[in-house]
Amino acid sequence: MKIGILQTGHPADEIKAALGDYTDSFALILDGHGFTFETYMVVDGVFPDSPNACDGWLITGSKHGAYEDHPWIPPLEVLIRDIRDANVPLIGVCFGHQIIAQALGGRVEKFKGGWAVGPQEYETADGEVLHLNAYHQDQVLELPEGAKREAGNAFCENAAMSVGDKIYTLQPHPEFDADYIRMLIKYRGRGVVPDQIIDAAEAELADKVTQGMEIGQRFAAFFKAAAG
């Protein structure tokens, strides 16, 4: 099964040198299922020719906002709707979660309540508690029509959603382990995120266990089931 990675941002050079690009992070948590990957740098205007160019699609995180005026965002929204209409499986993470919601009629804004950084707890619609790393201020404040809320917490109500049985999106980052969050804080956090939030996140990274690899395996199962 070929998974197309729609990359919507670039990691800091220091992070890329140490931990690889976004495709490497997702390939790690999706390992063991025989997937192949092709990356399209949509952030640089590189798009697939068709929603059927891959068997499944994954939209990455980004430092950009879904509501910002970038030339690649409108065609990405068109591609999202084309993928939906073609019934090809689609997963979105962080910015990917937000841009899918926006493309399908939801509302994304910079959250007035501030940032979520580091380990967080989310309760699913089935009552399960998930432990995952987050790094965001923007949020999906209104789900698209027909979407189902799949997980959330008091800070981030719409932390996961599904649309039918082909689209699943998640606000936190299963592909980011503690080391990745530490590097994000070092190279993109201080001076942007309030110090008290960063200090609390760094303290929790030392002893909180997250379920990134487990969620990656759930993503893999979703791709295979949704592809039929």
Side-chain angles (χ1 to χ4, degrees), residues 84-221:
R84 174 201 60 189
D85 295 344
N87 288 316
V88 180
L90 173 63
I91 287 175
V93 172
C94 198
F95 175 90
H97 164 70
Q98 297 160 10
I99 194 67
I100 292 170
Q102 180 173 287
L104 300 182
R107 181 166 61 92
V108 178
E109 291 184 5
K110 191 175 294 294
F111 186 51
K112 294 179 181 178
W115 288 79
V117 176
Q120 311 289 318
E121 292 186 359
Y122 304 91
E123 184 173 353
T124 72
D126 298 328
E128 180 184 8
V129 177
L130 300 178
H131 300 266
L132 291 165
N133 283 316
Y135 200 96
H136 69 100
Q137 183 175 11
D138 295 348
Q139 289 195 27
V140 175
L141 297 185
E142 292 181 10
L143 296 178
E145 184 177 354
K148 177 185 176 184
R149 178 182 175 274
E150 295 287 355
N153 58 28
F155 179 82
C156 182
E157 180 180 2
N158 299 312
M161 73 169 188
S162 61
V163 182
D165 59 359
K166 303 286 187 180
I167 298 175
Y168 182 85
T169 69
L170 185 65
Q171 178 61 65
H173 286 277
E175 80 281 18
F176 286 176
D177 61 11
D179 288 340
Y180 205 109
I181 295 293
R182 290 188 184 100
M183 292 195 78
L184 275 174
I185 288 171
K186 181 176 181 179
Y187 294 108
R188 286 187 170 169
R190 295 286 180 185
V192 177
V193 181
D195 285 344
Q196 65 269 28
I197 293 176
I198 288 179
D199 293 342
E202 288 182 327
E204 292 188 330
L205 285 167
D207 56 16
K208 290 286 182 69
V209 176
T210 55
Q211 298 167 264
M213 292 297 293
E214 178 184 340
I215 298 303
Q217 295 304 294
R218 295 188 194 186
F219 280 3

Side-chain angles (χ1 to χ4, degrees), residues 5-10 22 40-44 58-64 72 76 93-96 99:
I5 306 292
L6 301 173
Q7 187 162 326
T8 57
H10 296 289
Y22 293 151
Y40 298 85
M41 291 290 184
V42 296
V43 67
D44 299 324
L58 191 152
I59 304 179
T60 72
S62 177
K63 69 177 183 179
H64 304 294
W72 51 273
L76 177 57
V93 172
C94 198
F95 175 90
I99 194 67

